[in-house]
Amino acid sequence: MPLGISPLVDFAFKKIFGSPENVQALIGLLNAVLCLEHPIVSVEILNPFNYQEFKEAKQIILDVRARDTTGRMLNVELQVAAFPGLLQRLTYYACSMYVEQLERGDDYHRLCSAISICFVNQNLHRGSAQAHHWYQMVDRESGRTFGDGIEVHTVELPKYNLREETIAEASPLEQWAFFLLNAHRYDADRLRELLPAVEFQTAIIVVERIAEKTEDRVMYDQRERAIRDYEWSIASARDEGREQGMQKGSIAGQIQLTQDLLDEPPQSLSDLQQLSIDELNQLLAELRTRLHDRLA
C-alpha cells in the first residue's frame, strides 16, 4: 500500500531533514547538491524540527539551517511555488549567514562559506531544461571562484523525469528529486529497493512514521490542506489579475480609438494601464460624449 506521504509537504520535509536524529538524510541531500571535493560528514542543525513552528506557520516556507564541521553555514528550504524576488531573497539569506559569523573584533579570515539551497516545485527558468542552478562569486575573466564566499543553489523539481528502471544509474541529486516527487506513490519496501543508500533509508523510515503515528499524521494532513489553500489563493489571484488585465486592455483600446477619431494623440497603453478600471471607464465615457457632441 502506498505510503501516501509527500516529502513536499513542509511538515514532512522539515521532519525528514531538520531532525537531529535523522541527520544522515540531511547530509546525503547536501552532498548531492554541493558535489564537494571533500563531502560533508557531519552537520549541526541550528533550528531543529519542532511541532510549534507548524502550529503557528502561516506561510509554506520552512527552512533547515545547519553548520558543518568546516564551519560552512547552510540553509536548505522548500518552496511550493516560485515568486518574484526568490533569488534575491536566497542571496540575502546567504549574505546574512555570512555576516553573522563574525562578532566585533573577529578577523575576516575566519569567515566560511554561506550557502542557500532552495528546492522549488515550479520552474524558475522556463526556457531552460537545466534543473540545478549554482550561483557563485566568480571572476568573469579568469573563471576563478571565491571559494569561501556566497553561494545560491536552486533545484527545479518539475524538470526531473526519472523512472524506476533508470533510478539506480541516476546521480544522487536526481535520486533525491525522485524521492521528493514520488515517495508518496510507493510502499516502503519498494522505495527501499529503488533507493538503497543509507541516507534514503533514513528518510524512508521518517515517512513511514509520519504515515503511522497519529499526531504526525494529523499535523501532516493539516499542512497538506494549508498548502492546497495557499496554491488555490495564488492561482485565484493570478486568474483575477489576468482577467482584470484583459478588461483594462479592451477599455484602453477603445480609448485610443476614440482619441484617434477626435484627432487627439492617443495615450500610450502603458500610461492607460496605470489607471483603475473605474478611471478608464470614466475617461472613455468623457471621450465618447465629446465625440457624440462633435458629430451631432
Side-chain angles (χ1 to χ4, degrees):
M1 181 176 177
L3 289 165
I5 300 296
S6 172
L8 296 180
V9 172
D10 53 7
F11 176 83
F13 185 89
K14 186 65 180 282
K15 185 148 195 182
I16 293 168
F17 301 109
S19 300
E21 63 270 23
N22 308 323
V23 73
Q24 199 63 46
L26 177 60
I27 291 172
L29 186 71
L30 291 170
N31 284 328
V33 174
L34 301 178
C35 296
L36 299 165
E37 183 179 355
H38 302 289
I40 295 170
V41 295
S42 177
V43 295
E44 175 191 5
I45 298 175
L46 303 177
N47 62 336
F49 169 89
N50 68 78
Y51 285 95
Q52 195 60 35
E53 67 179 331
F54 291 94
K55 291 178 180 178
E56 298 174 351
K58 299 189 187 308
Q59 293 181 310
I60 317 300
I61 305 171
L62 285 167
D63 61 342
V64 178
R65 294 191 296 276
R67 178 172 50 228
D68 73 358
T69 51
T70 71
R72 267 184 296 250
M73 303 298 295
L74 305 144
N75 186 79
V76 184
E77 70 174 57
L78 171 69
Q79 278 282 350
V80 296
F83 57 86
L86 176 61
L87 287 175
Q88 289 86 342
R89 187 174 67 77
L90 293 170
T91 304
Y92 176 82
Y93 279 6
C95 290
S96 297
M97 290 190 297
Y98 195 68
V99 171
E100 289 168 2
Q101 294 177 58
L102 289 187
E103 296 182 1
R104 187 180 297 274
D106 286 345
D107 292 331
Y108 291 111
H109 74 269
R110 293 183 54 190
L111 287 167
C112 299
S113 298
I115 304 172
S116 279
I117 301 170
C118 182
F119 290 85
V120 59
N121 197 26
Q122 214 175 58
N123 291 331
L124 295 174
H125 308 285
R126 297 185 184 278
S128 169
Q130 181 180 342
H132 174 204
H133 285 79
W134 174 14
Y135 303 95
Q136 191 178 32
M137 298 174 70
V138 61
D139 177 59
R140 294 178 63 177
E141 186 170 343
S142 68
R144 295 189 187 93
T145 58
F146 184 31
D148 290 326
I150 307 296
E151 290 185 25
V152 172
H153 295 254
T154 58
V155 182
E156 299 166 64
L157 294 171
K159 291 182 178 178
Y160 292 97
N161 186 26
L162 296 169
R163 303 184 306 277
E164 289 186 19
E165 54 268 28
T166 59
I167 194 64
E169 291 77 36
S171 71
L173 182 54
E174 290 173 327
Q175 291 179 341
W176 276 114
F178 180 87
F179 171 79
L180 292 171
L181 290 167
N182 299 296
H184 63 290
R185 298 189 174 101
Y186 290 90
D187 62 58
D189 290 339
R190 181 56 178 155
L191 207 52
R192 289 191 180 94
E193 291 174 5
L194 293 170
L195 302 166
V198 63
E199 56 268 29
F200 292 108
Q201 300 300 305
T202 300
I204 293 166
I205 289 172
V206 180
V207 174
E208 276 188 293
R209 288 175 179 167
I210 294 173
E212 296 171 357
K213 189 177 177 183
T214 303
E215 185 181 15
D216 282 357
R217 187 58 192 254
V218 169
M219 183 62 73
Y220 173 89
D221 290 342
Q222 289 176 356
R223 296 306 298 167
E224 187 177 36
R225 286 194 295 272
I227 288 176
R228 284 201 300 267
D229 290 347
Y230 175 79
E231 291 177 331
W232 175 82
S233 65
I234 293 295
S236 296
R238 188 185 299 117
D239 291 344
E240 184 178 344
R242 186 183 298 116
E243 183 178 342
Q244 189 177 65
M246 292 175 63
Q247 187 176 356
K248 277 189 171 185
S250 175
I251 301 171
Q254 295 176 62
I255 288 172
Q256 289 176 321
L257 176 61
T258 308
Q259 289 172 329
D260 187 52
L261 292 172
L262 287 167
D263 295 323
E264 297 178 0
Q267 291 177 255
S268 70
L269 184 60
S270 60
D271 286 344
L272 290 171
Q273 289 284 6
Q274 301 302 313
L275 302 177
S276 68
I277 289 178
D278 287 343
E279 290 171 329
L280 289 171
N281 280 321
Q282 182 178 350
L283 175 58
L284 179 59
E286 292 172 354
L287 290 168
R288 283 176 170 172
T289 298
R290 287 167 51 200
L291 180 62
H292 179 270
D293 291 343
R294 176 180 293 188
L295 297 175

